[in-house]
Amino acid sequence: MPFLPEFIAIAVVVIALLYYIISKIANSNAAYKSGKLAMLERYKQLRARSNNLQDKMSSYIMENHIENEPFTEEYTYADFLRQLQKNHIKHLSDKNYSRIKNTNNRVVLNAAKTTLKNQEIKLDEVEQKLNQLGLQRHAATPLPSGQD
């Protein structure tokens, strides 16, 4: 057993090399790449949609001077706008976009997909509330997909 440490070191290196090769092959798959690009495009669209909703909400608040008026049972208009902004920073920021763009870690990418689905649901809810105020048609104005 005098060569046991060397054998273990060689085995670890071989396993690491095999893992690297397998992950490179799996990540070079065309379906994987197109799926990742589609997710990044969806991220951009949701980010633009969130920014647009924030702008419309902010304009509506400023034009009508209703920052302290109740928007829901829980929030005033100003509080609701702050929540939208915090949510955007937490889930749809440039930093998160870069992190997703620069990773091939499937766990991170699957978590990002889940987050994007949740954000889409939340933005739909906000649009419904804005629709009740008559702001929906303005908030849903499509932006060019390349706009950040």
Side-chain angles (χ1 to χ4, degrees):
M1 298 272 170
F3 297 110
L4 187 60
E6 289 86 2
F7 178 72
I8 292 173
I10 291 171
V12 168
V13 169
V14 169
I15 291 170
L17 186 60
L18 285 173
Y19 176 77
Y20 176 78
I21 291 170
I22 290 170
S23 67
K24 280 295 183 186
I25 290 170
N27 291 338
S28 65
N29 182 336
Y32 169 79
K33 284 184 178 180
S34 67
K36 184 176 176 181
L37 289 174
M39 182 175 58
L40 291 170
E41 185 60 32
R42 187 73 193 132
Y43 191 101
K44 286 182 195 178
Q45 291 170 352
L46 287 174
R47 188 170 54 186
R49 185 175 165 199
S50 175
N51 281 329
N52 197 16
L53 287 170
Q54 290 175 56
D55 290 345
K56 297 301 178 187
M57 184 82 174
S58 179
S59 296
Y60 184 77
I61 290 169
M62 298 306 254
E63 288 171 5
N64 295 295
H65 306 288
I66 55 171
E67 44 281 320
N68 295 321
E69 297 292 320
F71 181 68
T72 65
E73 291 179 11
E74 303 168 358
Y75 298 110
T76 65
Y77 281 88
D79 291 338
F80 190 78
L81 179 58
R82 276 192 290 280
Q83 284 301 113
L84 279 177
Q85 292 166 338
K86 285 179 185 178
N87 189 62
H88 181 88
I89 291 167
K90 183 175 181 182
H91 299 290
L92 296 171
S93 67
D94 289 335
K95 180 180 176 184
N96 285 341
Y97 178 82
S98 296
R99 184 175 58 88
I100 293 167
K101 183 178 178 182
N102 295 326
T103 190
N104 286 322
N105 183 326
R106 292 180 190 243
V107 172
V108 171
L109 295 175
N110 285 336
K113 275 185 193 176
T114 302
T115 298
L116 290 179
K117 287 178 187 174
N118 292 337
Q119 291 306 304
E120 186 166 17
I121 291 167
K122 287 180 182 181
L123 291 174
D124 287 343
E125 291 171 359
V126 170
E127 283 183 341
Q128 287 176 356
K129 288 178 183 174
L130 293 178
N131 189 31
Q132 294 169 355
L133 299 173
L135 292 175
Q136 168 62 23
R137 66 180 182 278
H138 301 297
T141 304
L143 295 174
S145 61
Q147 190 172 15
D148 290 343

